[in-house]
Amino acid sequence: MIELVTYHDEESLYTVLKITPEEGYDPPGGGLFRTERLTGVGRVPDPVEGQRVRLAGRWTEHRSHGSQFEFDVLEPLPPLGEDGLVRYLASKTFRGVGEKLAQRIVTALGEDALDKLKEGPECLAGVRGLRGQIAEELCERVREQIGTHKSFAFLHGLGLGPVKAQAVMRKLGSDCEALVREDPYRLARVRTIGFATADKAARTLGFEGEDPRRLAAGLYHALEVAANDGHSLQWQDALMVRAADLLGTRPERAVFEEVLRDLEREDDIVLDSQLAGEGEEVAVYLPWLHASERGLAQSLERLMTTGEQSPLATPEQLAHAEHEAAIDLHPSQRSAVLRLLASPVALLTGGPGVGKTTIVRLVAALAEQAGARVLLASPTGRAAKRLAEATGRDASTVHRLLGYDSDTGGFAHGQNKPLSGGLVIIDEISMLDVTLAHHLLKAVKAPTRLVMVGDPNQLPSVGAGNVLADMLASDRIPVARLTQVFRQAATSLIVTNAHRILSGDHLVFPERGDTQSDFYLFLEEDPRRAADRLVEVVTKRIPQSFGHDWMTDVQVIGPMYKGECGVDALNDRLRDAQGFGGREVTRGGQRWRVGDRVIHTRNDYERHVFNGDMGRIHGVSAEGVITVRYPEQDVTYKNAELSDLRPAFAITVHRSQGGEFPVVVIPLVMQHYMMLQRNLLYTAITRAKALVVLVGSRRALSMAIDNVDQAQRESGLVARLTRDEDEPAADDEP
């Protein structure tokens, strides 16, 4: 019997119960418990005091709380006798029903009271003191409780743990068993579940390998996997091969094609036959990616065909601005400034040391002098801060610029409420995926102009799409390309080697003993010894030789999470290398300790902390609540909120995009051969302001420089920008 719910967290479902075993229970070590309360801990939705349950799990010994039963399964059982029913109905679960009223209900309905209550409040007519609304709520809650526990038991039988079972019930309702029995692949559409778990459940329920519902789920999942890999679309033949490999079966082509048509009829996918030539393959999209790609192409076309707009600055005004700023622009830079200020939409591209920041600052200043309100934004919070520092003006994330609403997932600004600035400047656009780019351009309406700034040699966006590369490949959008490396930047080996990487040339390193350079290589072939050397370089050599505080100035950036030189292992080693640390807590297999450097991984507008913000754990409470100290504020995290954090002594190259650090240290070992690519190495070293140190294998370094075969992303944006769009405007809201 559940005597008391001591603690229950609705997000994690972690629960502490005081339970009384029924007479006859024989615990480990012998002896009969009859009235003594025991402690049970586990994960369960909606525990009810007074409920009779069967627990399955194991006895454990807690260092503070002593002996307790850690349960994996909590199976609700019918209350025993009238006394059990009275106690159950008088529990906190049933609002407005105290012990006396519960006794009258049980007296009126008998021991099958719960079955009668499920049918409706009519059975309660004549029960003294029971108001109509309380009666209706009681019956509804009984149905909900019985349905919840029945569904929970059913889902557990399919192999779903408590957290996943709760996610399914939130999505499909407490009485979800019938839906899952009809089509267990509905589980694959529930966040945190996935296709593999749904497929295992389907096999448990007796579904065959080529059941149409399984084929549909496999095709849809293959399309989702492709989107997660950055593809906006999949060509039909390639998708069917992907799905067949995933499913481990080879149905006839006609069967797959019919399943695709069924998915289209259900609006789960879009089949687009207009991208390829006549009689060629069909492009298959997830609906929101199709709407985003079409909408982005149409917005670009709209901005490029708005008609004549007068330039925001003349050559004479630019010359005056140069004089005022005491700078002397290269002719290519002057041409870039004037082109950007004369176009309704334009791109500014270039690598390190070519003066992009100077150009952006001048463009913003001249636009303001012309009376235009300038809006500046970047995809991440960290990149927005860099943009603000570089221009001396306010800058925000793209989401904040568009007025993102975390409750609805939509934006305040769009087609019907465009941005009100005269010039919008977006930096780091290599990080823009196709969906965010669509929403951004939909909110730009003439006479507002748009300047997009980025480096096409950096890694593409984490989300689906190849926006910057596709816009450049289309040759439809005015582009100002900066290629000239200027004198001051040319003395930096960081800049020199960045451009040598792009050319596929060997890197240049200083002479042995030279401590005046900004680019070094420490050779070590063995991954374990390379990890040892990296920790030594970070914690000892850099502080001693260059005076940088490694705990604040040095950022380790790695290609992968796994391996001795992977981000996960290096985070553990660098945490230990601090030599201090306070209280810690473990959640989801991840350890968090006072003093840890951490990075926030999504935009949270309610708490004003953004993707890429870095801080340190300042406190861990006895209840496991973590407080992170960021430069601007302290933010607390508990339970599911901890999924927004990652350790950040070491981060991946993808996670580093948009950031800039005084010192960058990069492990390069052959264990990471799958990720050793030119654009990945280039992106990593261009995150450094003052110093780059490579640690690892010369062979791995050569492989990274030579490997230009990064996966080609499938996208239809170039085709849409280079042909007439016959389709109506894309008003869909992905």
Side-chain angles (χ1 to χ4, degrees):
M1 181 78 74
I2 298 176
E3 296 286 348
L4 180 69
V5 179
T6 305
Y7 177 80
H8 175 67
D9 184 84
E10 291 186 359
E11 290 188 25
S12 69
L13 305 185
Y14 181 75
T15 304
V16 180
L17 304 173
K18 291 298 182 183
I19 53 178
T20 300
E22 292 180 353
E23 186 172 347
Y25 172 69
D26 188 8
L32 296 180
F33 286 97
R34 296 188 178 177
T35 58
E36 182 182 350
R37 282 185 177 182
L38 308 175
T39 299
V41 296
R43 298 181 189 275
V44 63
D46 209 6
V48 178
E49 292 177 1
Q51 188 174 45
R52 184 169 167 258
V53 297
R54 179 183 289 114
L55 303 179
R58 68 205 63 78
W59 284 99
T60 60
E61 193 71 25
H62 191 277
R63 61 185 179 187
S64 302
H65 304 298
S67 181
Q68 58 188 28
F69 192 75
E70 189 175 314
F71 60 86
D72 299 313
V73 181
L74 183 150
E75 178 188 350
L77 301 173
L80 280 179
E82 291 192 2
D83 289 345
L85 275 169
V86 169
R87 183 165 186 188
Y88 177 65
L89 292 175
S91 69
K92 297 174 185 176
T93 300
F94 305 105
R95 191 174 64 86
V97 181
E99 187 172 347
K100 290 182 179 179
L101 185 53
Q103 181 65 65
R104 287 197 289 270
I105 292 171
V106 173
T107 299
L109 302 183
E111 291 194 10
D112 58 349
L114 296 183
D115 290 333
K116 292 177 180 177
L117 288 170
K118 281 196 306 179
E119 300 303 318
E122 295 79 12
C123 65
L124 295 168
V127 175
R128 183 167 52 87
L130 185 61
R131 299 195 308 274
Q133 183 178 353
I134 296 296
E136 289 181 6
E137 289 179 359
L138 171 62
C139 293
E140 179 61 32
R141 191 74 175 118
V142 165
R143 279 194 296 269
E144 186 179 294
Q145 278 285 306
I146 293 173
T148 294
H149 293 303
K150 185 170 178 287
S151 294
F152 204 73
F154 166 70
L155 294 171
H156 182 269
L158 295 180
L160 273 65
V163 175
K164 288 186 176 181
Q166 179 80 334
V168 172
M169 288 189 286
R170 283 176 181 161
K171 175 91 172 176
L172 301 180
S174 60
D175 191 19
C176 63
E177 181 175 348
L179 292 172
V180 174
R181 286 190 182 279
E182 178 192 14
D183 184 0
Y185 293 99
R186 286 189 170 99
L187 296 172
R189 304 289 184 95
V190 178
R191 193 179 176 190
T192 77
I193 303 295
F195 175 80
T197 300
D199 199 36
K200 185 177 178 182
R203 294 302 179 99
T204 301
L205 293 172
F207 279 65
E208 299 296 330
E210 293 198 7
D211 186 292
R213 288 162 290 191
R214 183 170 189 262
L215 300 184
L219 283 162
Y220 187 86
H221 180 59
L223 199 54
E224 285 187 313
V225 170
N228 290 335
D229 290 340
H231 301 289
S232 299
L233 62 87
Q234 283 287 280
W235 298 104
Q236 180 175 293
D237 285 355
L239 177 63
M240 290 192 292
V241 170
R242 265 183 181 254
D245 291 342
L246 171 77
L247 294 165
T249 186
R250 299 281 173 184
E252 294 181 8
R253 179 185 179 89
V255 173
F256 255 157
E257 288 177 341
E258 182 57 34
V259 171
L260 282 171
R261 287 191 289 271
D262 287 341
L263 284 168
E264 184 182 36
R265 281 190 285 270
E266 294 294 321
D267 294 326
D268 288 327
I269 64 171
V270 174
L271 301 177
D272 191 328
S273 59
Q274 297 187 8
L275 284 181
E278 187 175 346
E280 295 186 33
E281 278 194 78
V282 170
V284 187
Y285 285 86
L286 293 169
W288 60 91
L289 290 178
H290 186 256
S292 294
E293 190 177 273
R294 284 182 54 214
L296 175 57
Q298 291 163 358
S299 292
L300 284 166
E301 187 68 29
R302 169 176 51 79
L303 289 172
M304 290 185 295
T305 55
T306 54
E308 283 293 318
Q309 286 183 293
S310 59
L312 292 176
T314 65
E316 293 74 23
Q317 289 169 323
L318 173 55
H320 179 72
E322 282 186 68
H323 177 74
E324 289 290 310
I327 58 176
D328 184 18
L329 295 182
H330 185 274
S332 65
Q333 291 180 311
R334 290 194 191 96
S335 174
V337 172
L338 294 172
R339 186 167 202 187
L340 296 174
L341 289 169
S343 304
V345 56
L347 290 163
L348 172 64
T349 69
V354 298
K356 292 198 303 294
T357 300
T358 299
I359 300 305
V360 170
R361 199 161 47 233
L362 272 173
V363 166
L366 287 165
E368 287 175 344
Q369 290 173 22
R373 180 184 176 218
V374 177
L375 305 174
L376 298 109
S378 285
T380 68
R382 189 168 62 226
K385 289 174 186 174
R386 284 183 56 204
L387 180 60
E389 292 166 1
T391 61
R393 292 166 173 80
D394 289 339
S396 71
T397 64
V398 174
H399 279 79
R400 172 162 283 185
L401 176 72
L402 297 177
Y404 178 70
D405 186 332
S406 57
D407 291 332
T408 66
F411 295 92
H413 292 286
Q415 186 174 331
N416 298 322
K417 187 183 178 183
L419 294 166
S420 59
L423 174 66
V424 178
I425 300 176
I426 307 296
D427 196 15
E428 297 284 1
I429 64 163
S430 62
M431 300 172 69
L432 276 186
D433 61 44
V434 68
T435 299
L436 186 55
H438 159 57
H439 282 292
L440 170 65
L441 270 78
K442 188 169 62 172
V444 178
K445 186 176 181 181
T448 299
R449 305 167 194 243
L450 176 65
V451 169
M452 296 175 284
V453 185
D455 184 345
N457 296 300
Q458 288 190 25
L459 290 172
S461 60
V462 174
N466 207 22
V467 175
L468 175 55
D470 285 350
M471 288 193 294
L472 292 170
S474 73
D475 286 329
R476 290 292 315 280
I477 299 149
V479 181
R481 290 182 173 87
L482 299 178
T483 57
Q484 177 72 34
V485 178
F486 295 98
R487 189 179 303 125
Q488 185 176 357
T491 63
S492 164
L493 282 185
I494 296 175
V495 174
T496 298
N497 282 332
H499 289 276
R500 291 182 74 86
I501 287 170
L502 296 181
S503 302
D505 296 329
H506 292 296
L507 304 190
V508 178
F509 298 101
E511 296 291 331
R512 188 178 182 84
D514 180 353
T515 59
Q516 303 304 309
S517 184
D518 61 0
F519 203 105
Y520 296 89
L521 169 65
F522 286 84
L523 288 173
E524 188 58 71
E525 291 292 329
D526 179 74
R528 188 177 298 278
R529 290 197 298 270
D532 293 340
R533 175 64 67 88
L534 183 142
V535 172
E536 180 206 5
V537 165
V538 168
T539 62
K540 295 179 180 177
R541 296 203 179 203
I542 289 174
Q544 291 169 3
S545 299
F546 299 95
H548 289 284
D549 181 344
W550 76 268
M551 287 188 285
T552 59
D553 293 349
V554 180
Q555 183 60 60
V556 177
I557 301 178
M560 293 179 68
Y561 284 105
K562 303 302 181 186
E564 288 95 335
C565 280
V567 164
D568 288 340
L570 292 175
N571 267 312
D572 288 340
R573 296 197 55 174
L574 291 168
R575 173 197 286 120
D576 294 340
Q578 288 186 118
F580 67 86
R583 188 196 298 268
E584 65 179 53
V585 65
T586 300
R587 289 285 185 272
Q590 178 63 57
R591 185 163 47 125
W592 306 100
R593 181 193 294 171
V594 171
D596 283 2
R597 186 194 294 180
V598 293
I599 184 170
H600 190 88
T601 59
R602 73 174 183 91
N603 293 327
D604 187 335
Y605 293 91
E606 293 180 5
R607 296 191 294 175
H608 303 286
V609 58
F610 304 102
N611 181 22
D613 285 353
M614 300 179 81
R616 284 190 179 275
I617 295 179
H618 181 64
V620 177
S621 74
E623 294 75 28
V625 177
I626 289 175
T627 301
V628 177
R629 176 152 292 173
Y630 294 101
E632 298 84 6
Q633 62 174 336
D634 288 357
V635 178
T636 58
Y637 297 80
K638 63 179 181 179
N639 300 323
E641 293 170 347
L642 285 170
S643 64
D644 294 340
L645 289 180
R646 286 202 69 93
F649 295 104
I651 59 177
T652 62
V653 182
H654 281 93
R655 191 71 70 193
S656 75
Q657 282 184 274
E660 193 174 58
F661 310 95
V663 181
V664 167
V665 178
I666 306 168
L668 289 170
V669 293
M670 289 306 296
Q671 266 188 345
H672 296 159
Y673 72 94
M674 291 180 63
M675 293 295 289
L676 295 176
Q677 299 169 355
R678 183 179 293 182
N679 63 348
L680 186 134
L681 178 60
Y682 172 84
T683 300
I685 72 167
T686 54
R687 301 306 91 206
K689 289 193 288 187
L691 178 66
V692 169
V693 180
L694 309 180
V695 180
S697 154
R698 195 179 291 279
R699 182 180 167 208
L701 173 60
S702 297
M703 175 177 282
I705 294 172
D706 293 341
N707 183 10
V708 294
D709 297 329
Q710 61 256 26
Q712 181 65 40
R713 292 190 169 196
E714 295 289 359
S715 163
L717 184 57
V718 175
R720 296 184 192 281
L721 289 173
T722 53
R723 68 173 173 81
D724 293 332
E725 180 67 79
D726 296 327
E727 300 167 90
D731 294 328
D732 321 47
E733 284 295 336

